[in-house]
Amino acid sequence: MRSLFCSLTLLIVAVTAPMAAAQKIQVSIDVSKPGAKVDRNLFGQFAEHLGHGIYEGIWVGPDSRIPNTRGIRNDVVTALKALKVPNVRWPGGCFADEYHWRKGIGRERPATLNPNWGGVIEPNTFGTHEFMDFLDQIGAEAYLSVNLGSGTPQEAAEWLEYLTAAQPTALAKERAANGHPAPYNVAFLGLGNESWDCGGNMTPDYYLDRMKLFSHFVRNFNPDQQPDKPKSQQMLKIAVGPGGAESRWTDWTESIMKAWQAHTWSWDIDGLSLHSYTVVKWPPAYASVGFGETEYAQILKSTLEMKDLVEKHSAIMDKYDPQKKVALVVDEWGGWYAPLPGSNPGFLVQQNSLRDAVLAALNLNIFARHADRVRMANIAQMINVLQAMILTDKEKMVLTPTYYVYKMYVPFQDATFVPVSFDAGTYTHGDITLPRVDAIAAKDKAGKLWVAITNVDPNQSAEIELALGGINAKSATGETLSAPKVDSVNTFDAPNTVVPKAFVAKAQDGKLTLKLEPKSVTVVGVEQ
Ligand code: AHR
């Protein structure tokens, strides 16, 4: 009897499982209703003086035997150029509110301390000129965070004059003497960092009072960035925004936006930042490698909260800024896990797995869907820290699964969002149920349609039937990223465990059928 029951059960499983897998997911794309621009700045990066993010990750010094250009490692520059990094936020993070720029220019660089991140020596060998050189080498724009916490408006104002003045002021001459006669371009200015916490534990009102001073006095003198130039060329100022969904954070957004609505000529902001890490609980306890499906599902459930967070703060911003002049700038986000065993806990070292690739794609999709308000984002962080693009160990370098997602998403930079509708289905593990697939689409400047589809389900492939109303598609080509396990990682010894593969889908009767591997991210361009 028992064996008859078992055979019957097996038979039912055998009959139902392939049917479930074979069920096609219908995705339709409506190119006739273009949405907002998916600003390239959504793919921004964050590089803080923290652990080996700057020192060893970017800067090895001109005398290093690691191949470098003026002290900046060549392998890292080559890898980052392929991502078309739009902007880099620097020098922090918490570090920014204790950073004094004068210590990082000229021949004599005093050693200071980095109390936030391990209390290590900060040699100041990577300073303003080295950062701007790095940006120049990778082709990115500067997002400087000024020290609003322990610095003064005067110190920050002088930094900006040093960087941007074209006239022969003493500071401009000092810049020229230090090797850069032409004024620098500073695209974005962060007015403090987490001023409600490591940036000075301020109340919204106290922050507003200080922020207005910095907004007014910290001027950009670059002739190419003056108010008579197009807005896209001017320096945009980004105020400290919320760090979560609770009332403490909604109150913060209310206060800043209410003040902004009544702002006068003497101060303004163009963006409000939002910081949100996928961490589940503090202190970060999830392992970045060596985990299973339960942790995969839990982390992805948590990361999807980004949607509600963005919508909650956007709704408040809409009340005071219905024209969406002030952007929501998610300038710190990503997975934050337990430090790798044996690493300095203050260095925030973690591995980067296939789970992070899926996490990155899901967040980028959320940002793109809210691109009318979310016009900039910076993943934390670029190299060797938290959810990094790149890991280095002395002369060795490895590209992470997150790096490959950013590379695959390059066609979305400055593309026009196109609405996609689909019934995502569900993926269930234990008591967690998640959407099984996620998809976005956008048209690039040349008119080519790009589609990104993530199969969240780690166990089942997904067959997608893509209907492209109005487009006579022949095929779709691109890349897909998956790996044997949810915690598969790239290491210095095995760097190709999680790398994209070429992907082709043929069209039939105007529809494309895409067969996606379990736990995969796929980006295709539609060929007509
Ligand atoms: O990215 C690490 C830290 O996280 C940043 O310095 C800080 O702004 C945030 O709390």
Side-chain angles (χ1 to χ4, degrees):
M1 186 63 187
R2 188 182 142 86
S3 68
L4 178 66
F5 175 75
C6 285
S7 331
L8 270 176
T9 315
L10 280 177
L11 188 66
I12 292 164
V13 170
V15 171
T16 53
M19 273 175 64
Q23 212 172 28
K24 285 186 186 164
I25 296 178
Q26 307 291 328
V27 175
S28 48
I29 299 182
D30 190 353
V31 283
S32 69
K33 294 196 184 78
K37 183 174 85 170
V38 181
D39 199 305
R40 69 183 200 283
N41 288 305
L42 288 176
F43 301 87
Q45 306 274 333
F46 173 34
E48 178 166 15
H49 286 238
L50 193 176
H52 294 301
I54 301 287
Y55 299 108
E56 292 188 30
I58 295 173
W59 180 257
V60 288
D63 300 330
S64 171
R65 58 185 172 77
I66 298 171
N68 67 83
T69 301
R70 295 180 294 279
I72 294 162
R73 52 192 298 170
N74 294 344
D75 52 356
V76 162
V77 167
T78 304
L80 291 173
K81 273 166 94 168
L83 299 188
K84 300 196 186 303
V85 177
N87 71 83
V88 183
R89 180 170 180 253
W90 177 85
C94 299
F95 179 84
D97 276 308
E98 293 186 65
Y99 183 62
H100 300 285
W101 67 274
R102 277 213 154 271
K103 298 187 174 156
I105 58 160
R107 282 179 174 278
E108 297 303 317
R109 306 279 178 101
T112 53
L113 288 173
N114 190 337
N116 282 293
W117 304 118
V120 294
I121 293 273
E122 165 56 56
N124 283 302
T125 41
F126 189 88
T128 301
H129 289 264
E130 291 75 21
F131 175 62
M132 298 309 271
D133 188 13
F134 169 60
L135 294 184
D136 205 36
Q137 291 189 35
I138 66 168
E141 290 191 294
Y143 176 9
L144 292 182
S145 261
V146 293
N147 180 346
L148 181 140
S150 69
T152 61
Q154 182 182 358
E155 181 191 18
E158 287 178 0
W159 193 15
L160 264 286
E161 184 189 326
Y162 177 86
L163 279 155
T164 63
Q167 290 152 301
T169 67
L171 283 164
K173 283 186 189 168
E174 193 179 354
R175 181 191 69 230
N178 285 333
H180 207 275
Y184 285 113
N185 199 84
V186 178
F188 307 99
L189 193 77
L191 306 173
N193 171 75
E194 298 191 356
S195 303
W196 30 260
D197 190 25
C198 71
N201 215 335
M202 303 174 193
T203 62
D205 284 347
Y206 184 70
Y207 172 72
L208 270 167
D209 285 346
R210 274 188 80 73
M211 182 268 274
K212 288 175 189 172
L213 296 177
F214 279 73
S215 170
H216 179 68
F217 292 115
V218 184
R219 300 173 198 271
N220 184 316
F221 295 102
N222 187 321
D224 293 336
Q225 297 195 270
Q226 296 312 300
D228 61 318
K229 301 291 183 223
K231 190 77 179 162
S232 57
Q233 261 176 250
Q234 295 172 31
M235 182 177 78
L236 304 183
K237 295 176 186 172
I238 297 155
V240 169
E246 298 81 11
S247 59
R248 175 184 173 205
W249 306 116
T250 48
D251 288 352
W252 185 281
T253 302
E254 283 273 352
S255 303
I256 309 295
M257 291 308 297
K258 195 172 176 190
W260 175 81
Q261 191 185 38
H263 80 93
T264 63
W265 68 270
S266 63
W267 75 277
D268 198 359
I269 55 169
D270 306 283
L272 182 72
S273 87
L274 167 67
H275 288 185
S276 176
Y277 287 96
T278 301
V279 61
V280 184
K281 58 181 176 192
W282 289 97
Y286 276 69
S288 58
V289 64
F291 56 85
E293 189 174 342
T294 300
E295 294 80 5
Y296 172 82
Q298 286 170 343
I299 286 289
L300 295 185
K301 178 175 187 270
S302 170
T303 216
L304 287 170
E305 289 167 15
M306 180 66 88
K307 172 183 176 286
D308 288 347
L309 193 61
V310 159
E311 288 178 358
K312 193 171 217 170
H313 291 287
S314 297
I316 300 171
M317 295 175 83
D318 285 349
K319 270 202 302 185
Y320 300 104
D321 174 26
Q323 291 178 297
K324 299 187 196 299
K325 288 187 174 168
V326 180
L328 187 60
V329 176
V330 191
D331 57 11
E332 283 190 31
W333 70 275
W336 188 329
Y337 311 123
L340 278 186
S343 67
N344 182 334
F347 284 11
L348 312 187
V349 181
Q350 60 190 46
Q351 245 297 1
N352 194 294
S353 67
L354 179 66
R355 179 179 65 187
D356 293 297
V358 173
L359 183 155
L362 294 176
N363 280 281
L364 292 173
N365 294 353
I366 292 170
F367 302 151
R369 278 195 279 268
H370 297 86
D372 56 344
R373 178 68 80 178
V374 183
R375 299 197 283 272
M376 184 156 157
N378 300 72
I379 191 166
Q381 297 193 5
M382 196 177 218
I383 304 163
N384 292 333
V385 177
L386 299 177
Q387 190 174 343
M389 302 287 128
I390 296 175
L391 303 176
T392 65
D393 180 15
K394 302 189 182 68
E395 73 289 350
K396 290 184 255 177
M397 179 190 86
V398 67
L399 306 177
T400 67
T402 302
Y403 172 92
Y404 288 115
V405 169
Y406 270 66
K407 188 150 180 261
M408 289 160 70
Y409 269 68
V410 164
F412 286 90
Q413 293 196 15
D414 280 346
T416 303
F417 188 78
V418 172
V420 179
S421 50
F422 54 96
D423 177 356
T426 54
Y427 150 61
T428 301
H429 178 76
D431 58 357
I432 295 180
T433 295
L434 302 174
R436 190 171 155 217
V437 296
D438 190 28
I440 59 160
K443 253 188 175 185
D444 69 17
K445 284 195 183 128
K448 183 168 179 172
L449 182 67
W450 291 88
V451 186
I453 311 185
T454 298
N455 181 8
V456 174
D457 193 324
N459 305 310
Q460 286 196 67
S461 57
E463 203 164 346
I464 308 285
E465 201 168 74
L466 205 58
L468 308 157
I471 289 193
N472 188 14
K474 284 202 190 91
S475 64
T477 55
E479 287 184 320
T480 190
L481 184 72
S482 188
K485 299 190 296 165
V486 285
D487 72 331
S488 291
V489 296
N490 294 333
T491 64
F492 299 113
D493 296 330
N496 295 321
T497 307
V498 197
V499 290
K501 291 182 295 198
F503 186 95
V504 183
K506 290 263 172 279
Q508 225 178 9
D509 306 326
K511 280 187 175 174
L512 285 161
T513 303
L514 286 77
K515 189 145 191 227
L516 309 178
E517 286 182 45
K519 49 180 170 12
S520 63
V521 179
T522 305
V523 175
V524 287
V526 175
E527 316 291 343
Q528 299 189 54

